[in-house]
Amino acid sequence: MSDAYVDDYSHILSFERFDERRPNWHRAVGPDRYADTFLHELGSPVQDEPWTSDPVLAITRDLSADDDSKATAAAERGFHRRFAVQPRAQLVTPLQSAIELYDVIFVAIDAALPDETTPWTSLNGPYRVIGRGVDFRRGPATGAPVYNSVLELGFAAVLD
């Protein structure tokens, strides 16, 4: 059995990673101009990002992008914004009131057996909290209340 922790102080009850297609091509459209930004041009904070070679387009309309430099800047800003708030995983842990929105937390899963290391290493790493909630349940045996933190996680670093 593996031990899983958040920042060395909290056990992980469940951790689900979303490997969905994320935009890797962003287009900003102005009144008479457009500009494109691509993931491979900006660099990726996560090298094992799935489907980085398939074109997945996201479009932003920006009426202030009326020349080439403003359109390029709008495309880069739109890409950063979509990249930063895209949910990447959901984490459930015992209630942690110290974790706030936009905190960067480190998820570590330490394997107890040598053959467990391969599937878990891709989940380890820093994540940014982009959504936060509290789950309340009654315990099955005693009916005592149980509170859990439900955290939506995104990329830890925004592209430079």
Side-chain angles (χ1 to χ4, degrees), residues 3-73:
D3 286 329
Y5 298 96
V6 177
D7 288 336
D8 296 329
Y9 63 85
S10 179
H11 284 278
I12 294 175
L13 300 177
S14 75
F15 184 77
E16 180 182 1
R17 183 159 171 196
F18 312 130
D19 285 330
E20 299 174 351
R21 290 180 176 231
R22 285 177 264 293
N24 56 8
W25 169 22
H26 191 88
R27 174 171 286 176
V29 179
D32 60 351
R33 308 204 184 262
Y34 73 91
D36 294 325
T37 302
F38 299 95
L39 178 63
H40 68 275
E41 292 174 353
L42 297 175
S44 174
V46 180
Q47 298 302 322
D48 61 347
E49 181 64 17
W51 300 294
T52 55
S53 62
D54 295 340
V56 181
L57 174 64
I59 298 176
T60 299
R61 178 86 169 140
D62 190 346
L63 295 176
S64 67
D66 55 3
D67 63 14
D68 290 339
S69 63
K70 289 180 181 178
T72 302

Side-chain angles (χ1 to χ4, degrees), residues 134-149:
V134 176
D135 179 34
F136 167 76
R137 297 173 189 231
R138 292 252 177 225
T142 63
V146 176
Y147 294 93
N148 294 324
S149 290

Side-chain angles (χ1 to χ4, degrees), residues 47-157:
Q47 298 302 322
D48 61 347
E49 181 64 17
W51 300 294
T52 55
S53 62
D54 295 340
V56 181
L57 174 64
I59 298 176
T60 299
R61 178 86 169 140
D62 190 346
L63 295 176
S64 67
D66 55 3
D67 63 14
D68 290 339
S69 63
K70 289 180 181 178
T72 302
E76 291 177 2
R77 280 192 316 268
F79 195 97
H80 289 289
R81 195 168 32 253
R82 285 184 188 263
F83 200 81
V85 299
Q86 178 77 32
R88 181 175 176 149
Q90 184 180 56
L91 171 71
V92 179
T93 184
L95 184 63
Q96 295 296 322
S97 59
I99 297 175
E100 297 178 2
L101 282 177
Y102 306 115
D103 282 352
V104 175
I105 61 173
F106 189 83
V107 174
I109 300 174
D110 300 323
L113 301 173
D115 61 344
E116 286 185 337
T117 58
T118 304
W120 304 118
T121 55
S122 65
L123 301 177
N124 293 346
Y127 295 90
R128 184 172 301 278
V129 178
I130 58 174
R132 188 172 190 289
V134 176
D135 179 34
F136 167 76
R137 297 173 189 231
R138 292 252 177 225
T142 63
V146 176
Y147 294 93
N148 294 324
S149 290
V150 180
L151 307 172
E152 293 288 327
L153 305 177
F155 287 101

